[in-house]
Amino acid sequence: MMRFVLLGTCAMVVLLVGASLPKVFSPATALVAQAVRVLGPVSGWRCVNLATYVYDPRRESADSGLVAEQPEAAVLNVASGTEIERVEVSLRGSDAVVWTMSSSGEQRVFVLTPGSLSAVGTPADRPATCYAHQGAWQVVAEHGLQ
């Protein structure tokens, strides 16, 4: 009886290992591993799993692995006296949107493009997994909201 239990346990282990091996060697796992190696565990996970990284600078600072220079600093250079409400950084298309509120209650949205960035996870036949270390932001558009 003990022999059957041992044989059954060994068979289950072989099946579980066999079923998980394709996932370990899949291209997606390699991209996650590369992003984590380059950016660290949290930034690497965000790089692979998020198309847009969103943060509220009133409550948290930007992920330094993804954003080398904060885009809201460029907005404050052209629109001082505004409060930054939300920042959305595209990890796939390399642009950012900054939502602001003036002291008079006027909402404005600024679109920025980075002057510097790094492509992460770029196999020869595919586009980058994400763009990180984005910085040297330039305001390219400004819109008032009503």
Side-chain angles (χ1 to χ4, degrees), residues 75 78-79 82 96-100 108-112 139 141-143:
V75 170
V78 294
T82 60
V97 177
V98 177
W99 299 76
T100 66
R108 299 196 70 71
V109 176
F110 292 83
V111 180
L112 298 92
V139 176
E142 177 183 350
H143 306 283

Side-chain angles (χ1 to χ4, degrees), residues 53-63 67 69-76 82-89 96-101 108 110 112:
Y53 168 59
V54 179
Y55 65 97
D56 181 349
R58 298 171 297 184
R59 294 182 179 86
E60 61 187 309
S61 59
D63 182 326
V67 180
E69 297 174 23
Q70 297 177 343
E72 60 268 26
V75 170
L76 292 174
T82 60
E83 181 180 17
I84 308 296
E85 294 185 326
R86 184 171 76 191
V87 179
E88 302 171 3
V89 179
V97 177
V98 177
W99 299 76
T100 66
M101 177 75 72
R108 299 196 70 71
F110 292 83
L112 298 92

Side-chain angles (χ1 to χ4, degrees), residues 5-146:
V5 171
L6 184 61
L7 267 169
T9 303
C10 288
M12 289 298 289
V13 168
V14 168
L15 284 174
L16 288 173
V17 168
S20 63
L21 277 179
K23 293 178 184 172
V24 170
F25 296 110
S26 77
T29 304
L31 291 176
V32 171
Q34 181 182 10
V36 167
R37 186 178 65 248
V38 171
L39 301 172
V42 175
S43 299
W45 182 90
R46 288 176 174 157
C47 168
V48 172
N49 292 296
L50 301 176
T52 304
Y53 168 59
V54 179
Y55 65 97
D56 181 349
R58 298 171 297 184
R59 294 182 179 86
E60 61 187 309
S61 59
D63 182 326
S64 61
L66 301 174
V67 180
E69 297 174 23
Q70 297 177 343
E72 60 268 26
V75 170
L76 292 174
N77 286 337
V78 294
S80 61
T82 60
E83 181 180 17
I84 308 296
E85 294 185 326
R86 184 171 76 191
V87 179
E88 302 171 3
V89 179
S90 173
L91 302 178
R92 305 286 187 266
S94 72
D95 60 354
V97 177
V98 177
W99 299 76
T100 66
M101 177 75 72
S102 71
S103 56
S104 63
E106 178 187 17
Q107 278 194 306
R108 299 196 70 71
V109 176
F110 292 83
V111 180
L112 298 92
T113 188
S116 65
L117 53 83
S118 301
V120 176
T122 53
D125 61 338
R126 294 180 47 173
T129 301
C130 78
Y131 294 100
H133 307 295
Q134 298 184 39
W137 295 97
Q138 301 167 357
V139 176
V140 293
E142 177 183 350
H143 306 283
L145 302 177
Q146 296 181 8

